[in-house]
Amino acid sequence: MYVSYKWLNEFLDLRKMPAKELAEKMSRTGIEIEGVENLSDSIQGPLVVGLVEELKEHPDSDHLQIAQVNVGDYGKKQIVCGAPNVKQGAKVITALEGCILPGDFKIKESKLRGQISQGMLCSLQEIGFPDKVVPKEFVDGIYLLAEDAPIGKDIVEYMELDDPILELSITPNRADALSMHGVAYEVGAIVSQTPHFKPLKINENQLVSIDELQNLELDMAEHDLSSHYQLRLLKGIEVKPSPIQMQSRLMKANIRPINNLVDVTNYYLMLYGQPMHAFDLDQLPGKKIGVRYARVDEKLTTLDEIERKLTDKDIVITSNDQPIALAGVMGGLDSHVTEKTQDILLETAVFNPQAVRLTSRRLGLRSESSARFEKGINPATLSEAGDQAAIMIAQLTQGQIEKGVLEVKANDAQDQVVELSMQMIEDKLGIQVNQSQLQTIFDRLGFEVAFSNDQMSVTIPPRRWDITIPADILEEVARIYGYDQIPVTLPAVPNRPAQLDSRQKLKRATRSLAEGLGLNETVSYVLISPEFAELNANKDRYVSLLLPMSEERSLLRQSMLPSFLEIARYNKARHNKPLAFYEMGKIFLAKDINQQPQEKEMLSFFVSGEKSSSNWESASQNYDFYDLKGIVEQIMDQLRLGIYLSFERLENLDFMHPGQTANILLDGQKIGFIGQLHPQLSQEFDLAKETFFAELDFDALVAFNREILLQTPLAKYPSTSRDIALLVDQSTSHQSLVDLIYENAGDNLKNVELFDRYTGKNIAADKQSLAYHLTFQNPDKTLKDEEVKEAMEQVIKALEKVENVEIR
């Protein structure tokens, strides 16, 4: 928001306060000032209004012209000019000898192609205005002044260039300061003044009663799109350039002047913070004006001459159900004001801020109007702003205003009442203020306050729609009281020794164990490309970013696997070995629309290719399924979770090998999976066929109620062991057999170990031979053969009941 210091002085008396001092005060009370710039500071010497009395071609140039320019008291000057739009009789900005323009550009008498030039005819850019605010017809040439510009008049004075411009950095909660009125109230509170506004008064000859407005129909079936919508009709207007003072104020506010009609709507946008739009009445398809959501793939050509494909989340203004504008964002090309326009409909409205924001963001159309609709406008001044704009349009265009307005209004703007106790001020701000001091603060803010014992009731006008709760009142009190006057104190914090919580302890232990097993820790991006989105065991909807930096980083991952694949491919290409990694990181699971995704912390492992290189005494070895399974088992054992760990076959993951993949169970509950990557996926990433991955829900490990670690004495009595061999189907699960043995062998069975697996000669092709080593031990006595024999008999009986199991 760019604020003209001279404009602000029309509402307040700031003559004794320099602009930079005011900027300092504003920054210290809540609205940061990015800078103060005065165009006149970079201009010195004679810069005046000149009249081109005579113009002829340069004899030695095909693009230069020689102008005889009348500059009043400075006489007549010969100036050589190359601007394409200079013409005889034009009034122009003339820099004379001795003038210094922005960029330290000094004007002096010189010769151009043999002809004397005693100055320069200037464009707006040359006196300090940026290209984007210069009227389009003067972007590539000099600026032509109005016919009534006084010859010889100082340009700095004529165009009000000696005017400090304050650049306000407005936070979203202070959208009330996106208008001159709002800034005037803010500055008035800072300097203890009440701003005074002088509204325009209408002349009777500017009014007309023709009832043409009543022939229009306003269709507002969906009131949630616009809570207040107004139309005014103006007849017989003449479209032409605005007065130089209005153009100058708009350019200093970073807005490009267009014509007297459009400029008025922008002028009152800056004055009241109320966006407006003018439709050419004769170009509208019909008399029925409506506000509705656009239909899917409906099209509208906007003022920038681009055809827009709309969605059902865009709000459009319609005429006979045909879109004529994007509500709050940009008008339509077919109904915009041109030099031929004679009658207009002036729209003043409030639109749904969420819908305006979505449309503006989707189409990349950010404007002064859309910014205000998004952040909020003062509904109480909507009608006043529309009335004042209509009066000024009538004055500048010699038009007439039809009496009355056509409007739909859901409700009136209401004051907001916030109640709080005075004790809160001392408790929250650390200052003591009495009722008299508070009354002064609220008077400066323009708020009414009523006291009742320790309670106070503050009435907030609609212009400060950001204040709704007691905390907002405390903030207002603090900034007007003065942040620099609030005593600085340090919070009292109990002195406790730092210690790790259970999650931190488990993390440290897991990292230590993983690194002890030869794994390297990785830290990877949580963002992945859509190409890798399917590489996860979750089938939830993906979480995508609205504005990703690139397509490669547009989705939040649901598994650590895509990150590991990129890391492994990068390291393999650089011949780094071994490819053995682990990581504790976040994955993100989608929930309902407009809800934060669920974050889960996962513990993942990845091994691929060569485990150990060949040397003089042994050949090289590659990782296999049991290497990774052993890593998982060892870590779980060390975390005192091994007795709850089990595995079950898993075959429905497309990106994993169907014969070497298993679910990981903790006390019967699935917490992850382990297995070999599908060979096709390994090949795609140029990895070895022997590539394995495991992923566990670390949150589940933290939440699991582990047994307390107890020190137990070494067993005094010896253990004894027995072996058993089984002939079973190839499809029989090893884990199911182990579970069955444990269930039937009794409490003295301490360990079951598979020490041999055989397939091949002398047994059927669909069979396998499994040999188990069973260890028995009783810590309180020496086991007798009869006890062990009885336990083995129970195991054998249980196994004999299993179909297709033969005890050898």
Side-chain angles (χ1 to χ4, degrees):
M1 174 73 180
Y2 293 89
V3 174
S4 161
Y5 188 69
K6 279 194 172 182
W7 199 357
L8 197 59
N9 261 286
E10 293 183 3
F11 316 126
L12 300 159
D13 184 4
L14 302 174
R15 289 172 295 179
K16 296 181 181 180
M17 182 176 293
K20 290 188 177 179
E21 182 182 339
L22 175 61
E24 174 67 20
K25 287 181 176 290
M26 292 181 70
S27 293
R28 291 168 65 180
T29 54
I31 295 182
E32 184 178 353
I33 306 298
E34 296 284 349
V36 180
E37 183 180 0
N38 192 333
L39 289 174
S40 68
D41 289 346
S42 55
I43 298 175
Q44 299 178 29
L47 183 69
V48 298
V49 176
L51 171 64
V52 179
E53 292 185 336
E54 186 180 339
L55 190 67
K56 63 181 180 179
E57 294 183 357
H58 193 293
D60 296 321
S61 173
D62 58 356
H63 71 280
L64 295 177
Q65 300 180 81
I66 301 172
Q68 302 298 325
V69 184
N70 181 356
V71 286
D73 292 342
Y74 292 93
K76 185 179 290 187
K77 302 291 183 180
Q78 176 172 297
I79 298 175
V80 178
C81 178
N85 65 330
V86 65
K87 60 184 180 180
Q88 187 169 325
K91 290 187 177 179
V92 293
I93 301 172
T94 310
L96 302 177
E97 184 178 0
C99 179
I100 301 176
L101 296 176
D104 201 28
F105 184 69
K106 298 178 181 178
I107 305 298
K108 57 185 178 181
E109 184 175 314
S110 60
K111 280 190 176 182
L112 293 176
R113 299 281 181 96
Q115 299 293 322
I116 292 177
S117 182
Q118 298 173 302
M120 185 174 76
L121 306 185
C122 299
S123 67
L124 289 174
Q125 296 94 320
E126 287 164 332
I127 65 172
F129 288 103
D131 276 346
K132 63 181 179 180
V133 304
V134 174
K136 289 184 178 180
E137 62 268 32
F138 302 125
V139 168
D140 297 320
I142 62 172
Y143 183 66
L144 304 182
L145 298 169
E147 294 180 359
D148 60 354
I151 299 172
K153 180 79 172 181
D154 182 59
I155 287 293
V156 171
E157 181 183 349
Y158 178 64
M159 296 186 64
E160 296 184 345
L161 299 184
D162 186 11
D163 182 9
I165 304 300
L166 285 68
E167 183 181 354
L168 277 60
S169 178
I170 305 295
T171 53
N173 66 310
R174 288 305 309 273
D176 62 289
L178 286 173
S179 68
M180 292 301 299
H181 279 195
V183 175
Y185 278 112
E186 174 68 15
V187 173
I190 295 171
V191 300
S192 299
Q193 293 184 31
T194 300
H196 298 284
F197 307 110
K198 297 178 180 178
L200 298 175
K201 294 183 179 179
I202 194 166
N203 295 325
E204 287 300 320
N205 59 0
Q206 292 175 333
L207 290 173
V208 60
S209 299
I210 54 178
D211 293 332
E212 188 171 339
L213 189 63
Q214 305 307 316
N215 295 331
L216 297 175
E217 180 183 351
L218 196 54
D219 180 15
M220 294 284 292
E222 300 177 80
H223 289 291
D224 62 320
L225 304 185
S226 177
S227 58
H228 194 179
Y229 189 87
Q230 283 187 348
L231 291 173
R232 290 170 175 80
L233 177 62
L234 287 90
K235 303 280 292 182
I237 66 172
E238 179 186 351
V239 178
K240 57 185 179 180
S242 301
I244 186 63
Q245 288 74 20
M246 177 175 286
Q247 291 192 44
S248 180
R249 283 190 175 181
L250 290 176
M251 288 189 289
K252 288 184 289 187
N254 208 34
I255 295 175
R256 185 196 300 274
I258 306 295
N259 54 52
N260 55 354
L261 183 54
V262 176
D263 290 352
V264 169
T265 62
N266 286 328
Y267 186 86
Y268 279 91
L269 166 72
M270 300 304 300
L271 187 59
Y272 282 89
Q274 173 63 57
M276 304 177 192
H277 186 71
F279 298 101
D280 187 328
L281 182 63
D282 296 328
Q283 300 302 316
L284 296 180
K287 303 296 185 181
K288 185 176 182 180
I289 308 299
V291 180
R292 62 168 171 82
Y293 280 116
R295 301 183 181 97
V296 176
D297 293 337
E298 195 168 23
K299 295 180 180 179
L300 171 68
T301 301
T302 47
L303 285 171
D304 53 6
E305 300 184 9
I306 298 176
E307 185 178 75
R308 310 282 182 179
K309 184 181 287 188
L310 308 180
T311 73
D312 57 1
K313 291 183 173 59
D314 301 322
I315 304 177
V316 291
I317 311 300
T318 64
S319 173
N320 278 20
D321 206 39
Q322 295 183 37
I324 56 173
L326 269 174
V329 179
M330 186 175 285
L333 183 64
D334 295 338
S335 61
H336 81 293
V337 172
T338 67
E339 293 180 355
K340 299 179 180 179
T341 299
Q342 294 182 336
D343 303 333
I344 65 162
L345 279 180
L346 180 64
E347 173 195 83
T348 315
V350 177
F351 294 112
N352 183 290
Q354 289 79 18
V356 173
R357 183 183 297 113
L358 287 173
T359 299
S360 176
R361 180 182 297 174
R362 182 179 64 82
L363 297 177
L365 292 174
R366 305 289 295 178
S367 65
E368 296 285 348
S369 293
S370 66
R372 285 161 176 79
F373 279 125
E374 291 176 21
K375 296 176 182 178
I377 60 177
N378 181 6
T381 57
L382 185 146
S383 296
E384 180 184 335
D387 289 339
Q388 290 290 295
I391 295 172
M392 181 167 281
I393 290 173
Q395 291 178 353
L396 297 184
T397 66
Q398 288 74 52
Q400 290 184 306
I401 309 167
E402 179 171 335
K403 291 182 179 180
V405 296
L406 188 64
E407 71 175 334
V408 172
K409 188 176 183 181
N411 46 57
D412 292 320
Q414 300 292 330
D415 292 342
Q416 178 82 23
V417 178
V418 180
E419 296 184 351
L420 69 161
S421 67
M422 293 180 61
Q423 185 62 36
M424 284 184 68
I425 297 175
E426 183 176 353
D427 293 343
K428 302 296 183 182
L429 302 181
I431 58 176
Q432 292 183 343
V433 287
N434 55 38
Q435 288 189 8
S436 176
Q437 291 173 303
L438 285 173
Q439 184 70 59
T440 300
I441 289 173
F442 290 125
D443 286 345
R444 290 168 62 180
L445 289 165
F447 301 167
E448 294 182 7
V449 60
F451 297 98
S452 176
N453 298 325
D454 185 52
Q455 292 294 116
M456 58 181 176
S457 178
V458 185
T459 302
I460 313 299
R463 62 180 173 82
R464 288 301 305 273
W465 62 90
D466 58 303
I467 300 177
T468 57
I469 58 176
D472 298 329
I473 298 294
L474 295 176
E475 182 181 1
E476 295 298 302
V477 170
R479 67 188 192 86
I480 300 302
Y481 181 85
Y483 290 126
D484 53 344
Q485 296 187 51
I486 297 177
V488 179
T489 59
L490 292 175
V493 179
N495 186 13
R496 294 188 204 167
Q499 61 182 7
L500 301 178
D501 60 25
S502 58
R503 176 181 286 272
Q504 292 169 325
K505 290 178 181 177
L506 199 62
K507 275 189 174 182
R508 288 197 177 187
T510 304
R511 283 196 175 100
S512 178
L513 292 168
E515 289 162 9
L517 292 168
L519 302 177
N520 296 300
E521 184 176 15
T522 65
V523 179
S524 57
Y525 289 114
V526 299
L527 295 171
I528 61 172
S529 70
E531 178 187 358
F532 299 148
E534 298 293 338
L535 302 181
N536 70 85
N538 300 292
K539 301 304 178 184
D540 296 341
R541 180 172 50 82
Y542 305 121
V543 182
S544 59
L545 302 186
L546 285 177
L547 296 171
M549 291 185 293
S550 67
E551 188 66 17
E552 288 73 24
R553 296 281 183 262
S554 60
L555 297 181
L556 290 170
R557 67 187 177 191
Q558 291 184 316
S559 170
M560 307 285 282
L561 180 57
S563 304
F564 276 134
L565 288 171
E566 289 184 330
I567 292 169
R569 177 165 58 184
Y570 179 90
N571 281 274
K572 186 171 187 292
R574 287 155 180 77
H575 305 287
N576 294 326
K577 298 179 183 179
L579 300 180
F581 311 116
Y582 82 95
E583 182 173 346
M584 278 181 280
K586 294 289 183 69
I587 66 170
F588 301 83
L589 306 179
K591 300 177 75 174
D592 293 338
I593 295 175
N594 296 327
Q595 286 191 359
Q596 285 286 99
Q598 179 188 2
E599 294 185 33
K600 296 184 71 174
E601 190 163 24
M602 306 299 286
L603 171 61
S604 302
F605 306 96
F606 186 96
V607 295
S608 177
E610 193 173 77
K611 177 172 66 173
S612 59
S613 303
S614 61
N615 55 43
W616 64 273
E617 64 174 352
S618 62
S620 64
Q621 287 185 314
N622 286 346
Y623 284 105
D624 61 21
F625 176 85
Y626 298 103
D627 287 318
L628 185 57
K629 182 171 179 285
I631 289 172
V632 172
E633 289 176 333
Q634 288 189 60
I635 289 177
M636 297 292 277
D637 283 340
Q638 293 298 314
L639 297 179
R640 305 194 306 281
L641 296 170
I643 60 174
Y644 306 105
L645 182 66
S646 60
F647 302 87
E648 69 176 9
R649 184 185 296 252
L650 176 61
E651 297 180 346
N652 63 351
L653 292 183
D654 297 338
F655 57 92
M656 301 296 289
H657 193 298
Q660 291 199 46
T661 305
N663 281 323
I664 301 175
L665 308 180
L666 185 66
D667 199 20
Q669 299 297 315
K670 178 184 173 182
I671 62 166
F673 68 95
I674 181 174
Q676 180 182 356
L677 263 63
H678 197 287
Q680 185 176 347
L681 181 61
S682 299
Q683 184 180 4
E684 180 182 340
F685 282 85
D686 195 27
L687 299 175
K689 178 182 176 182
E690 299 84 3
T691 300
F692 302 89
F693 173 72
E695 187 167 66
L696 295 84
D697 185 345
F698 190 75
D699 292 332
L701 301 185
V702 174
F704 193 81
N705 188 18
R706 297 185 296 163
E707 292 184 355
I708 298 175
L709 180 62
L710 297 175
Q711 184 67 37
T712 57
L714 295 175
K716 297 179 181 180
Y717 303 97
S719 62
T720 184
S721 61
R722 297 288 188 274
D723 294 339
I724 185 171
L726 308 174
L727 185 65
V728 300
D729 291 342
Q730 289 274 13
S731 60
T732 301
S733 166
H734 155 74
Q735 187 68 47
S736 64
L737 297 174
V738 171
D739 291 342
L740 187 64
I741 293 171
Y742 270 116
E743 290 172 6
N744 292 276
D747 295 337
N748 293 325
L749 178 64
K750 298 303 179 186
N751 188 44
V752 177
E753 179 183 357
L754 176 68
F755 69 89
D756 183 60
R757 177 178 180 269
Y758 175 76
T759 59
K761 286 185 179 181
N762 302 324
I763 62 174
D766 61 343
K767 297 289 185 178
Q768 60 179 335
S769 176
L770 303 177
Y772 292 95
H773 188 74
L774 282 65
T775 302
F776 296 87
Q777 187 177 38
N778 189 321
D780 299 324
K781 66 176 183 177
T782 300
L783 287 174
K784 297 180 180 179
D785 286 343
E786 292 80 4
E787 293 176 298
V788 177
K789 182 178 179 181
E790 182 181 353
M792 287 300 296
E793 287 176 353
Q794 294 297 324
V795 170
I796 291 170
K797 286 181 181 179
L799 290 171
E800 287 176 340
K801 295 178 181 179
V802 179
E803 187 178 358
N804 296 328
V805 172
E806 179 183 341
I807 300 173
R808 305 182 70 187

